[in-house]
Every structure is written in structure tokens, then in C-alpha cells.
Amino acid sequence: MAFRVPALPKLSPRTIALLAAVAAVAIGAVAANASKHESPAAAAPAAAPAPKASADQNISHDATAAELKAAAALPQCRSARLVPVNRSWGVPMPSIYASTSTTCNLMYGDDPYRGSNRYGDPDTAIQVLQRNLNFCYGTKLAVDGIYGSNTRAAIKTVQRKHHLVVDGIYGPKTRSAMNWRLYSMATRSWSRSCSSPL
């Protein structure tokens, strides 16, 4: 029995423009954050030449720290919406409350709210993520709307698989890299497989 990957639907110009805008905002935020926190030690002359491996590790560590800070600075996903891929299919994914933006994050400790603000529906956002992880990545998470240690571990596995910074935070980079199960409003049916349409 041969395994066939279904052809992905073609993206509409509006969807492409929306995805480009989201990516530009995320890249701009990371770049701005990285330039703000440039290490003063990098400008100072070194007392002794450092081994090449150590320099590579420092660069990687600085980039990781900048990405972690940028990801953590985003607002919590407090809703879920169907992001259109084309006229027939869309991807249910976590989003910002009362907005079409999906540039938000979910992280360990969201139970379901983060902090003292009690608005939106973050448990639904977390449940949408947990269902997708269960279907597309074979995790066996309880769909409970709590971003606990098991959900964080599943996101870390996804991040490793897609060669991302492994921080356990669901954010724009993880969202764009991971596979999603599509939903059709027209037929009210789910796709049989997962793809990365973003």
C-alpha cells in the first residue's frame, strides 16, 4: 500500500498577503529586540582568543535568548479562529481575543489564564492546539485547556522536529512551522491528513 500525500489547496492572494504581514511583524519584533539587547561585551576586545566552538555557542545562545524574549513578550492567545487557506479550507488555530491576528503565544503555566486578566477564552485556544498536536503529531494529551508540562513537552518535540529554538512556547515561529489539520466550512469536514499550509 503506497502512501500518498494529498495535494494542498492553492493559497488565495489575500491569504498570502495576510501570512506575509504576520511574518513581517514577527521578524521585525525579533530584529528590534535583538538590536536593543546587543551585548556590550561583544564590542570589547577579548583578553585571549576564544575557541571557535565557544564563539559559535555564544552566538547561538544570544540568538536563543533574543528569540525567547520576543516570544515571551507576545500577548497570550485568548481565542481561536479559522484561518482561511483558500475558499474551501481553513486552519483552526489559537488567536488574539477579538482580533484576526494569530501573533500570540501560549506557554507553560497558562491554566488557562495568564496573570490577573480574565478576558477571552484561552482554554479554547489551548484545546485547539492540544487537539492538533494529538492528531498531527500523535501525542496523547488530555484536551483540558491547561498548558502544563505534557503540552510543553509536546511543543518542544515539534520544535526539535522542525529545527526551531526549543523553548516549549507556542508562538508565531512554531505556528508557521508545524503541521495542521484543515477544516472545510463548506462540507463541515476535517482533512484526513496534516500539512503545513502557512
Side-chain angles (χ1 to χ4, degrees):
M1 181 170 127
F3 177 74
R4 277 188 4 179
V5 176
L8 288 177
K10 197 167 186 176
L11 297 176
S12 70
R14 180 177 173 211
T15 302
I16 292 170
L18 175 67
L19 294 174
V22 169
V25 168
I27 291 169
V30 171
N33 198 14
S35 66
K36 271 194 226 174
H37 300 296
E38 184 176 313
S39 173
K52 183 169 176 30
S54 177
D56 289 345
Q57 288 170 351
N58 287 342
I59 291 169
S60 175
H61 177 67
D62 290 345
T64 301
E67 286 186 33
L68 280 170
K69 192 165 185 178
L74 292 173
Q76 181 186 16
C77 300
R78 291 178 182 254
S79 186
R81 66 181 298 267
L82 188 68
V83 177
V85 174
N86 62 24
R87 290 182 184 176
S88 301
W89 295 95
V91 178
M93 64 177 46
S95 66
I96 293 177
Y97 179 68
S99 170
T100 59
S101 175
T102 57
T103 305
C104 54
N105 71 24
L106 293 167
M107 63 177 71
Y108 180 70
D110 289 352
D111 186 15
Y113 292 95
R114 182 185 312 157
S116 59
N117 291 332
R118 295 288 186 263
Y119 69 90
D121 192 14
D123 53 339
T124 297
I126 297 168
Q127 288 171 352
V128 163
L129 178 63
Q130 289 169 331
R131 281 189 194 99
N132 192 73
L133 289 167
N134 285 345
F135 186 83
C136 294
Y137 292 94
T139 59
K140 293 179 170 56
L141 298 171
V143 181
D144 58 6
I146 297 171
Y147 202 105
S149 57
N150 291 337
T151 303
R152 177 177 58 183
I155 286 294
K156 285 183 175 182
T157 301
V158 169
Q159 290 168 332
R160 276 188 209 95
K161 179 176 180 149
H162 296 289
H163 310 290
L164 300 172
V165 172
V166 180
D167 58 11
I169 298 173
Y170 166 85
K173 287 188 177 184
T174 303
R175 174 205 65 213
S176 297
M178 69 188 287
N179 295 322
W180 293 91
R181 189 177 190 191
L182 304 177
Y183 182 76
S184 171
M185 286 295 288
T187 61
R188 299 194 183 280
S189 61
W190 290 93
S191 62
R192 294 183 181 181
S193 61
C194 299
S195 61
S196 183
L198 304 179

